[in-house]
Amino acid sequence: MSLSSVLRFYRFPSKQLVISATAIRYVSSASNKGSSSSCLSYPGKPKHSSSYQAIVIGAGHNGLVAAAYLQLAGFKKKFFNNPSIFLIKGGAAVTEEIIPGFHFSRASYLLSLLRPSIINDLELKKHGLKLHLRDPSSYTPLSTNHWKTGGARSLTLSSDIEFNRKQISKFSKHDAEAYENYEKWLSRLVAAIDPLIDSKTIDLNFPGSFYSNVKSLMAVAKSAYKLRKEIGSFYDLMTAPASKLLDQFFESEPLKVTIIVLHKATLATDAVIGAMMGPHSIGSGYVLLHHVMGGVEGKQGAWAYPEGGMGAVSNAMAKSAVEKGATIFTDQAIKEIMVGDDGSVAGVRLDDETEIFSKVVLSNATPHVTFVNLLPSGALPESYLNKVKSVDYTSPVTKINVALNALPNFLADPHQTLGMGKAAPHHRCTIHLNCEESHMLNKAFQQGQQGLIPDRPMIEMTIPSSLDSTISPKGCHVALLFTQYTPYELQNGVQWDDHWKEVYAKRIFQQIDEYAPGFQQSIVGYEVLTPPDLERIFGLTGGNIFHGAISLDQLYLSRPFSSWKAHNQRDHYPSLPRTPIKGLYICGSGAHPGGGVMGTPGRLAAEIVVEESRR
């Protein structure tokens, strides 16, 4: 994998020199053989013409979950004469030492959505998964030009109701009371849709066992029953802009820097994170729900840092899958999914032309990569391929991974023990910057839509080393910047080259300096990953972290596209994870229930494979 076009700088400890990526590629974990990065490493190569019960393309978290569940369900017993599940490299839940001594969750960076049942079933804690729960979890400092004499300068939110009431009361007593009702409302909605998240979608063709669809229908009925008193507000959530929903709970004076504007903007970031949507976009309410439906250690909505970075999640899953009989080869790349003369899947062809055979192939790649890039021409009906090509993969995200020799010291909450390298509670949080007013998010969104670098991009900063001392040298820290809204290509077709990446990074760093002076001087090195970089390095089509936008037209039965063949026909294609090609399944986030480090798409795909293998 070439990383030459990823902008990366390294500042030597003397701080006398800054060197560009072309001169310092050796800092990449791909070239640093001595690195202890937590990327999956299972070297080796399958033999030519070997056969496997199943092949999983992409050893990302969903692929690993699918393989482990196949083994757990006793899938190997059906074909006991053949070797076990075979997985090929991939995934965005990785940890890499891209700057010497600093270990970065290079793409995904927080854990909450991973289903507790998966953690338990796969015994991930037994296999090394250790989580650092964040509490408090959200910190929003105001820049100095938004300060008011005698007024609050920041907002911190935690899991403690009384703590939150005191924090919000600094801005508005009305909203302090409303916030508790808001959280209870979201909790009820999360509980109502949980059965849908953990079950297969209804297949409109009702193939195979009627019992399979009965279970899906029962999940729908259970959700409908739980929603019976919330149906109006749930409809609003699914269809209304996040800003409208928040207006119903909280005070709003959008043209003034008032108490609630800060609070609403903080909440609004959850409604647009990872999505090319503004707070006034229709459907942004569901994105808000998507990001609060998880939890850690039984605490709903909580988020955690995995010790060792996100790669530790993948490593624990890989150990579980291997223990159960799976075989992993992380040094191999797929050239093509092979299809037999009868139209069913036959196996895969590797880049070196090695052919591996299997009657079952699960793809953890995006639907676009799977159907357009990996299948031979003519393997799919044209109408189905057109649906695949219509999926929205627009991404607003540029991830900047930063190595620091000191913690940021925020003017809003100066920290006296920074010299000793000790983190304050707010350093453990997701730190929201450039969101004092909701209209700031909307302006950045509009500029990104026009192909412009926003004047003030939305910034979410996390500092996992504030709780996890294993990922950085003593006294130093890792900062992960999740920023929006950056277009895939700039206005007039201008591409993201090193110049524009540096321009963008400097804008981000300068604006962080407004909140925490000295941040730029504390930078040891950094890496900029724009949407094209996320696509090229991690296989995320369009740079979209969800394998396709989680918009209303790309959810549940329509994840990521509707299954009907044509407007004037009653026939439907199989709903994902099934595909029109017998034996080929989608087990990644492009299938229901969507993106995030959740694991459910992998588990559901495995269940369907096992179910169909028993017929």
Side-chain angles (χ1 to χ4, degrees):
M1 179 187 303
S2 172
L3 302 177
S4 59
S5 64
V6 177
L7 182 64
R8 186 177 291 157
F9 284 107
Y10 172 67
R11 179 177 288 164
F12 286 103
S14 64
K15 298 186 181 179
Q16 294 176 343
L17 187 62
V18 177
I19 298 182
S20 71
T22 54
I24 56 148
R25 288 179 200 160
Y26 66 87
V27 305
S28 163
S29 62
S31 60
N32 188 350
K33 300 299 182 183
S35 168
S36 57
S37 297
S38 300
C39 291
L40 288 183
S41 180
Y42 289 82
K45 178 183 174 182
K47 293 181 180 180
H48 183 71
S49 296
S50 57
S51 296
Y52 286 80
Q53 301 166 34
I55 296 172
V56 180
I57 301 172
H61 70 278
N62 276 311
L64 292 165
V65 167
Y69 270 100
L70 286 174
Q71 298 293 123
L72 193 64
F75 183 62
K76 62 182 179 181
K77 296 176 184 176
K78 183 175 175 63
F79 304 103
F80 55 87
N81 291 323
N82 288 344
S84 54
I85 312 301
F86 158 43
L87 293 97
I88 299 171
K89 69 179 181 180
V94 297
T95 305
E96 295 190 52
E97 188 183 22
I98 57 177
I99 294 168
F102 295 84
H103 300 264
F104 295 87
S105 293
R106 199 175 178 202
S108 59
Y109 59 102
L110 279 170
L111 195 69
S112 174
L113 299 177
L114 183 60
R115 308 303 279 177
S117 59
I118 292 175
I119 294 176
N120 295 331
D121 291 346
L122 304 191
E123 301 177 294
L124 297 186
K125 291 185 177 180
K126 166 190 165 184
H127 292 291
L129 180 63
K130 182 178 179 181
L131 302 178
H132 295 280
L133 182 65
R134 310 184 315 159
D135 199 12
S137 58
S138 175
Y139 174 62
T140 306
L142 277 69
S143 60
T144 54
N145 61 327
H146 287 93
W147 289 4
K148 283 189 173 183
T149 303
R153 297 180 176 182
S154 67
L155 174 66
T156 305
L157 298 176
S158 77
S159 62
D160 185 88
I161 295 174
E162 188 57 34
F163 176 86
N164 291 340
R165 183 180 289 115
K166 290 179 179 178
Q167 282 283 310
I168 299 170
S169 290
K170 295 186 299 184
F171 298 93
S172 166
K173 291 183 178 180
H174 168 272
D175 293 328
E177 299 303 321
Y179 184 72
E180 188 175 349
N181 293 330
Y182 166 79
E183 289 218 307
K184 289 179 178 178
W185 171 66
L186 280 183
S187 295
R188 292 195 299 269
L189 295 186
V190 168
I193 68 169
D194 252 2
L196 298 181
I197 296 299
D198 289 320
S199 69
K200 301 184 287 289
T201 63
I202 300 168
D203 196 311
L204 298 179
N205 276 333
F206 286 82
S209 170
F210 179 72
Y211 177 64
S212 174
N213 269 296
V214 166
K215 288 194 294 184
S216 297
L217 287 166
M218 287 177 64
V220 172
K222 186 181 293 185
S223 288
Y225 180 76
K226 289 184 176 182
L227 284 170
R228 68 192 186 282
K229 295 182 180 180
E230 304 281 355
I231 194 65
S233 62
F234 180 70
Y235 182 82
D236 282 348
L237 178 79
M238 296 298 290
T239 59
S243 57
K244 182 178 178 180
L245 290 170
L246 296 176
D247 280 346
Q248 295 173 13
F249 283 93
F250 308 111
E251 298 174 346
S252 177
E253 298 178 38
L255 300 179
K256 301 177 182 178
V257 184
T258 62
I259 47 178
I260 186 52
V261 172
L262 168 65
H263 181 222
K264 281 178 54 182
T266 298
L267 296 177
T269 60
D270 281 339
V272 298
I273 194 72
M276 187 55 94
M277 294 181 178
H280 306 313
S281 299
I282 292 175
S284 55
Y286 175 76
V287 182
L288 174 69
L289 185 65
H290 189 83
H291 284 93
V292 300
M293 64 175 58
V296 178
E297 307 292 1
K299 294 185 177 182
Q300 184 185 316
W303 292 76
Y305 297 123
E307 184 166 297
M310 292 299 291
V313 180
S314 296
N315 278 334
M317 290 176 173
K319 289 177 182 177
S320 177
V322 169
E323 180 185 70
K324 292 170 177 56
T327 303
I328 303 176
F329 298 105
T330 54
D331 294 338
Q332 306 303 315
I334 292 289
K335 180 179 181 180
E336 185 179 50
I337 297 172
M338 298 187 297
V339 178
D341 293 338
D342 61 353
S344 61
V345 76
V348 298
R349 182 176 293 111
L350 305 183
D351 272 354
D352 64 359
E353 301 300 330
T354 298
E355 293 183 350
I356 314 299
F357 298 102
S358 179
K359 294 181 179 180
V360 175
V361 173
L362 297 89
S363 177
N364 191 29
T366 70
H368 184 90
V369 169
T370 303
F371 297 128
V372 178
N373 298 352
L374 295 181
L375 280 174
S377 177
L380 287 169
E382 185 177 353
S383 59
Y384 190 86
L385 200 56
N386 288 337
K387 288 178 176 292
V388 172
K389 293 178 179 179
S390 71
V391 175
D392 179 11
Y393 289 101
T394 309
S395 168
V397 174
T398 287
K399 177 93 182 295
I400 306 180
N401 298 312
V402 189
L404 302 174
N405 61 24
L407 284 163
N409 197 0
F410 293 95
L411 291 172
D413 293 278
H415 189 43
Q416 302 303 319
T417 59
L418 283 177
M420 294 178 280
K422 294 182 179 179
H426 59 261
H427 288 119
R428 305 167 190 164
C429 300
T430 295
I431 301 167
H432 307 271
L433 306 176
N434 284 347
C435 65
E436 285 84 356
E437 303 180 22
S438 298
H439 77 80
M440 294 171 67
L441 302 181
N442 200 55
K443 181 180 179 181
F445 164 63
Q446 291 175 340
Q447 289 178 321
Q449 280 191 311
Q450 297 165 18
L452 301 173
I453 294 177
D455 296 333
R456 298 194 70 85
M458 187 186 91
I459 303 170
E460 286 204 352
M461 176 195 294
T462 55
I463 309 174
S465 52
S466 62
L467 285 171
D468 180 7
S469 61
T470 69
I471 59 175
S472 61
K474 186 175 181 180
C476 295
H477 288 274
V478 164
L480 309 175
L481 308 180
F482 196 86
T483 71
Q484 296 180 200
Y485 294 85
T486 50
Y488 187 88
E489 64 178 21
L490 299 170
Q491 201 171 59
N492 299 320
V494 174
Q495 303 301 306
W496 282 101
D497 58 16
D498 285 357
H499 165 73
W500 286 110
K501 292 177 188 178
E502 184 177 0
V503 167
Y504 183 71
K506 286 184 175 180
R507 180 171 299 184
I508 294 292
F509 299 153
Q510 288 168 359
Q511 291 177 10
I512 294 176
D513 252 10
E514 296 175 15
Y515 296 88
F519 178 83
Q520 291 187 85
Q521 290 304 309
S522 70
I523 295 175
V524 176
Y526 65 90
E527 172 190 50
V528 180
L529 298 174
T530 61
D533 294 319
L534 295 171
E535 179 178 67
R536 178 175 52 82
I537 296 170
F538 300 105
L540 299 172
T541 303
N544 189 282
I545 63 173
F546 299 123
H547 284 209
I550 49 175
S551 52
L552 298 183
D553 60 329
Q554 295 187 175
L555 292 175
Y556 195 63
L557 284 173
S558 296
R559 183 72 186 160
F561 46 79
S562 60
S563 60
W564 47 261
K565 292 185 177 181
H567 284 289
N568 59 347
Q569 294 183 11
R570 295 183 178 180
D571 293 338
H572 292 75
Y573 291 114
S575 297
L576 296 186
R578 297 181 180 91
T579 74
I581 296 176
K582 183 180 179 181
L584 177 62
Y585 304 84
I586 297 293
C587 66
S589 296
H592 170 74
V597 182
M598 187 182 297
T600 307
R603 180 181 63 80
L604 293 178
E607 288 181 359
I608 289 177
V609 171
V610 171
E611 176 186 304
E612 295 189 346
S613 71
R614 290 171 176 166
R615 291 176 187 169

